[in-house]
Each structure stands twice: as structure tokens, then as C-alpha cells.
Amino acid sequence: MVILRFAPSPTGRMHIGNARTAILNWLMKLKTGGRFILRFDDTDVDRSKQEFADAIVEDLKWLGIAPDRIEHQSTRLDRYDLAAETLRSKNLLYACYETQDELERRRKRQLGRGQPPVYDRAALKLTAEDRRDLDAQGRRPHWRFKLGHRMVTWNDLIRGPQHIDTASLSDPVLVREDGSYLYTLPSVVDDVEFGVTHVIRGEDHVVNTAVQTEIFEALSGGAPQFAHHSLLIGGDGKSLSKRLGSLSIASLRDSGLEPMAVVSHAALLGTSDAIVPHRHMVSLVEGFDLGKLSRAPVRFDEAELRSLNARLLHGVPYEHVADELSALGIKGGREFWEAIRGNVTSIKDARQWYDIIHGKLPLDSADSDKTFLQEARALLPPEPWDRSMWNSWTSALQQRTGRKGKELFRPLRLALTGREHGPELAALLPLIGKAEVERRLSS
Ligand code: GLU
């Protein structure tokens, strides 16, 4: 059984970057018939907030992701205490007493000598007596994991064969002075205890993987499979981090985007597949393969997402948007949607066409061609109208006035919709109705 986890820290709203991680995990779950755990990495009590955790659940739900299990690290501290004890008993977790200032001075010295700023393991030289003295002075230790200084290798499901020499890394701090845990150890403990088989996460965790592989081996004898996807960058080639507020899932949702446009875009970006809109998760799953993801950073362009959203909407049947339309206060049914869907980039644009059809937007007829419009009015056929009315009406009008093409259609469109462009008038006119069409042609 494939077991996956998405492990956000509930310290802010979910944005397109971490949604992509969630989506890749979710597609892998669907592809393999596995399980998806939502794990809140909330050991940082100052920054973690329940409201953010709730919002993440809501955002995932909107994206179509329903976790099989939800866990909070903050409720599992006793498990981490046990694991830390195990590591201590194996002499793999050692007490350090340096202050931040001391460490910073040492780092600067090393850099000044052209050496890599790696922790020098000075604390390993402390004797039991030294430690007793320090404890007696009221000094509280933080705890570092003793790396094996060896080559850690794994076959990354996205990046291929990887190797990192842990001799090039500082022994990581796992426990702070106040006894709280950094993310590194709890993540491994949970992955072991929840039976996680595949860790799909961003490539900012590649170095963590070398460290965590050693911890996995110390605690359970083996590590899961890893897949590190590349990160999203802005159109300007820079990190997206500054724009993440406006790229939160909540703001993308509020701006009227469809969840499956966001999901399709996030799932297909940086793959060898064409970025096309998928209306259902199942069709995305069919083509899903971690091996298709490129190692190169992926450019995220909001305009591309919006155009994908438009393409998605253009093919969406009325049943799929009926609820969204009624939430926008639109009572028009199938005919309305089919008339306008080719002219919206977001579902919210439907409102504008609804208002135009129902005469709720002022139409500017200042420079309209009044005589021509009078003639058009006189030739209107009696109701009932359907799409075919447009052809017969405009053919008659063409014969009568000798106008054709743009000269014929543009003044009609302007008078009837107040816009240069828009949905086919053949579809709009039956929705507007004869009385209102007459009124617009004579005003
Ligand atoms: N809380 C970590 C993050 O959001 C999780 C990383 C992981 O998946 O292990 O970056």
C-alpha cells in the first residue's frame, strides 16, 4: 500500500507552490490506490495557528483533496521524546551549549579562513563533568544529531540518482534549549509510525533528505522513497515568495478561478505533457507519472493559469456551473450559459453578460447610426425567437440597406450589448427578447 503525506506548517494560507505539492501527492494516491495523510507540522507553537490549519483543510477541499487521515505533530510530542531517547542511547544525539553569538562568531571565523561554515562538533569534546558544571550553572543544552559523515545515496523518483556527503553538513539541531523540536526529527518519527512509503516534496528539502535518511536508518532501519519536485519561480525568473500572498489558494478562488483549472495547471506545469484543462481528476490521473516532471525550476505565470481557466470554462456543461452561477445571483439556465461561456475567462464574468442581457448595464448609444437601427427594428420578425432568427433578420437587413460585414454587424452589436465584442448575437437575441431588443434599437 502506497502511503503519502502532505505536511504543511499551519503558519499561513496555502499558496500555489504548496498546493502543487499537495496535488502531486494526491494524484499519486489516486494513481496507486494509496492513502493520503494530511500532517500538520505545528511544533512551532508561536507561529502555528488553528485558523490556518482549518483554512488549509478548506483550501484542499476546494481543490478536490479529501485526506484519508489528519494528524497534528503538536499532539505527538511524547513520540518525539521517545525517539530522542533512542538516539541518545545510540550516542547519536549530543548536548551542545554554544550560544547563538558564539556560533555566529565561529561561523565568521571559518568563512574568513575560506572554510565551509560547518559546525565543528566542539560539544562532542565536553566531558560528563563539563556538562554537569554547565547544567549546574543553569545552562540548558540544545541537541544535535551526529551525522555519519558518509555518502548518503537515494534514487529520487524525479531527480534520479542522488548522493550527498554528510561530512559537508553541520550536525543538525533536533531539539532546542527549551525542549521543543525542530521539524527534522518529528517528520521522520511520523513518517515511520504512519508507514509513509513515498515522500513527495519540494527540492528545498533535498539536503534534509540526506540528514533524515540517516535518522530514518537509526530509528527504523530504512527510509521511504523520495521525490523532490522543482520549485515555482515567477515570470521574471525570481522566486515567487514575494507574491505568494496574492497567489494564495483563497485569493485565486475568490478571483473566480475553477479548482480544476488550478489543479490541471499545477499538475502539468514542468511536465512533458501539454498544459490543457482537465475537468476531472480521473483524466489527470491517467497521464500522471512523477517521471514526467522536469528537474528545472518551473515558471508560474498567472496569465497562463487564467487562460487555462477560460479554456476550461469554454467546454464546461451547464450542470457543472449551475451552482456557481446561482451563487452569483444568475437565474439564467442552460441557454444563457451556452450563449456566453465562450466569452468568459472566469465564472464571475458571467455576471456582466447576465446584466447586459437583462438591461442592467447602461448602453452608450451616443454615436449610434439611428436611421440604420430604425430600419433594423422595423424588420424584426415576430417571436418566438431561436438562433435562426439572427440569420433571417440580418439577411433581410442586408438586402434592405445594402450593408454587409462589419458595417452591418458592428452597429447592431454596439446598440444591443454596448460592447464591441462578445458572445454570438444569434444566441443572445432570444435571451434578450423582442421588446427589449426594440427598445435598444430605438434609444
Ligand atoms: N513542513 C515542511 C514544509 O512545509 C514539510 C516538509 C516535508 O514534506 O517533509 O516544508
Side-chain angles (χ1 to χ4, degrees):
M1 164 80 93
V2 168
I3 300 184
L4 302 138
R5 87 304 192 272
F6 170 57
S9 300
T11 55
R13 293 304 297 249
M14 183 153 89
H15 54 71
I16 186 74
N18 36 42
R20 182 162 170 253
T21 308
I23 289 163
L24 295 176
N25 275 286
W26 183 249
L27 292 174
M28 183 73 169
K29 167 217 153 82
L30 295 180
K31 182 97 194 179
T32 58
R35 287 173 67 76
F36 177 106
I37 301 170
L38 169 60
R39 185 187 82 204
F40 287 113
D41 286 359
D42 57 354
T43 53
D44 182 342
V45 285
D46 292 335
R47 293 177 57 225
S48 300
K49 300 265 178 303
Q50 186 58 40
E51 68 199 71
F52 291 132
D54 294 342
I56 289 170
V57 172
E58 190 187 312
D59 291 344
L60 288 174
K61 186 170 165 213
W62 182 74
L63 291 168
I65 296 177
D68 297 300
R69 177 174 175 182
I70 301 184
E71 292 288 346
H72 290 80
Q73 292 195 323
S74 56
T75 64
R76 297 177 39 78
L77 300 179
D78 52 341
R79 312 301 306 166
Y80 312 143
D81 292 345
L82 276 177
E85 237 2 274
T86 304
L87 294 178
R88 278 187 198 101
S89 71
K90 296 185 173 192
N91 287 327
L92 289 173
L93 193 64
Y94 61 98
C96 303
Y97 294 81
E98 292 94 344
T99 63
Q100 284 302 331
D101 280 351
E102 267 172 81
L103 290 172
E104 191 47 37
R105 276 200 301 278
R106 257 186 237 174
R107 237 174 59 84
K108 286 206 176 116
R109 257 201 317 272
Q110 286 171 312
L111 287 171
R113 292 194 203 118
Q115 294 166 346
V118 172
Y119 177 62
D120 60 7
R121 293 186 158 176
L124 274 181
K125 299 195 188 84
L126 296 173
T127 61
E129 206 184 332
D130 293 336
R131 289 206 299 274
R132 262 198 307 279
D133 286 349
L134 287 159
D135 288 338
Q137 288 167 30
R139 299 279 294 272
R140 303 268 294 143
H142 54 275
W143 298 81
R144 287 186 192 260
F145 178 73
K146 190 169 170 232
L147 288 167
H149 285 188
R150 63 182 175 91
M151 196 62 84
V152 172
T153 61
W154 74 93
N155 197 6
D156 196 287
L157 297 176
I158 295 173
R159 297 164 61 86
Q162 302 290 298
H163 57 272
I164 292 183
D165 184 353
T166 57
S168 66
L169 307 176
S170 293
D171 287 340
V173 176
L174 299 189
V175 193
R176 299 189 185 89
E177 279 81 357
D178 63 3
S180 65
Y181 290 94
L182 282 104
Y183 140 86
T184 318
L185 177 64
S187 179
V188 173
V189 172
D190 291 347
D191 288 343
V192 171
E193 294 194 8
F194 302 157
V196 168
T197 57
H198 293 70
V199 172
I200 305 175
R201 58 184 178 186
E203 68 178 10
D204 46 336
H205 288 288
V206 165
V207 172
N208 277 340
T209 293
V211 168
Q212 289 180 325
T213 295
E214 289 204 5
I215 303 178
F216 271 113
E217 288 173 1
L219 292 178
S220 76
Q225 299 226 59
F226 288 97
H228 295 90
H229 61 75
S230 63
L231 302 181
L232 299 182
I233 50 171
D236 53 4
K238 297 207 188 92
S239 142
L240 274 184
S241 54
K242 290 218 174 63
R243 295 187 45 222
L244 286 179
S246 68
L247 293 177
S248 71
I249 296 304
S251 59
L252 295 176
R253 173 179 56 219
D254 294 347
S255 75
L257 289 175
E258 298 303 303
M260 279 309 294
V262 177
V263 171
S264 308
H265 197 57
L268 297 170
L269 262 182
T271 69
S272 43
D273 290 338
I275 303 190
V276 293
H278 285 254
R279 290 220 310 273
H280 306 282
M281 216 50 104
V282 275
S283 65
L284 261 180
V285 172
E286 269 165 36
F288 176 74
D289 180 354
L290 285 176
K292 287 183 180 171
L293 285 158
S294 139
R295 291 185 52 168
V298 181
R299 261 173 219 277
F300 173 82
D301 179 352
E302 199 178 336
E304 275 173 28
L305 170 57
R306 296 202 177 272
S307 109
L308 190 75
N309 195 68
R311 280 189 280 153
L312 179 92
L313 285 174
H314 298 171
V316 162
Y318 171 65
E319 290 70 23
H320 284 235
V321 288
D323 290 347
E324 288 179 84
L325 292 176
S326 78
L328 290 170
I330 293 175
K331 286 180 222 75
R334 176 185 312 282
E335 290 72 23
F336 165 75
W337 175 245
E338 287 174 0
I340 61 106
R341 67 181 172 187
N343 290 81
V344 295
T345 50
S346 116
I347 191 84
K348 288 191 168 174
D349 299 344
R351 181 76 222 188
Q352 179 202 334
W353 291 114
Y354 186 76
D355 289 345
I356 288 173
I357 288 168
H358 294 279
K360 291 190 193 132
L361 285 188
L363 304 174
D364 177 11
S365 52
D367 54 38
S368 64
D369 184 341
K370 292 220 158 57
T371 327
F372 171 69
L373 295 180
Q374 291 294 343
E375 279 173 304
R377 180 171 186 257
L379 288 173
L380 282 171
E383 285 184 309
W385 287 355
D386 60 18
R387 293 178 67 100
S388 65
M389 165 273 171
W390 172 253
N391 262 342
S392 42
W393 180 45
T394 51
S395 308
L397 190 55
Q398 180 177 346
Q399 272 184 4
R400 171 72 160 269
T401 62
R403 293 196 190 203
K404 50 185 195 274
K406 199 173 166 197
E407 234 193 328
L408 176 71
F409 299 123
R410 186 171 175 269
L412 293 178
R413 178 174 287 286
L414 274 176
L416 293 170
T417 69
R419 299 281 182 284
E420 293 270 1
H421 304 282
E424 272 183 284
L425 287 169
L428 288 187
L429 291 196
L431 297 172
I432 298 175
K434 186 170 183 199
E436 178 64 13
V437 169
E438 283 182 329
R439 193 185 68 76
R440 292 183 193 182
L441 291 174
S442 41
S443 54

